[in-house]
Amino acid sequence: HKNRDNIQSMLKEKGITTTIYYPIPMHMQPAYKNYKYKNMHLPNSEILAKEVLSLPIFPDMKTKDQDYIISNLLDIL
């Protein structure tokens, strides 16, 4: 989402922890600095790195917790 940082902040206020796992696109990671991808422009990867937000999810998550996350996210959006 284009307003990822605001959404993340508002969810945090509600006690909902979110994560940004890949803030730097793979082709721009230090591990790839010696490869031809270094100067490559991959617009979709670059946009996603700025907009993707990971919501809490785990096998034992209770339905009421899922509902809480969903309803708060919908209210924010």
Side-chain angles (χ1 to χ4, degrees):
H1 197 278
K2 291 180 192 225
N3 295 317
R4 174 184 70 186
D5 294 340
N6 291 332
I7 292 168
Q8 186 176 34
S9 177
M10 293 195 296
L11 288 172
K12 185 177 182 179
E13 289 175 12
K14 302 287 187 178
I16 301 169
T17 304
T18 58
T19 304
I20 299 169
Y21 284 108
Y22 304 104
I24 301 170
M26 293 299 289
H27 68 287
M28 298 172 90
Q29 294 283 339
Y32 292 94
K33 69 181 179 183
N34 295 324
Y35 293 91
K36 63 181 177 181
Y37 310 111
K38 179 170 98 175
N39 297 316
M40 187 177 280
H41 180 62
L42 300 173
N44 289 334
S45 294
E46 293 164 20
I47 289 169
L48 288 172
K50 293 177 185 175
E51 297 182 358
V52 170
L53 179 68
S54 298
L55 299 171
I57 186 167
F58 50 91
D60 295 331
M61 182 181 274
K62 302 212 180 317
T63 301
K64 68 177 183 140
D65 296 330
Q66 294 173 25
D67 292 340
Y68 181 76
I69 293 166
I70 293 165
S71 67
N72 279 282
L73 183 58
L74 291 174
D75 286 346
I76 291 168
L77 297 177

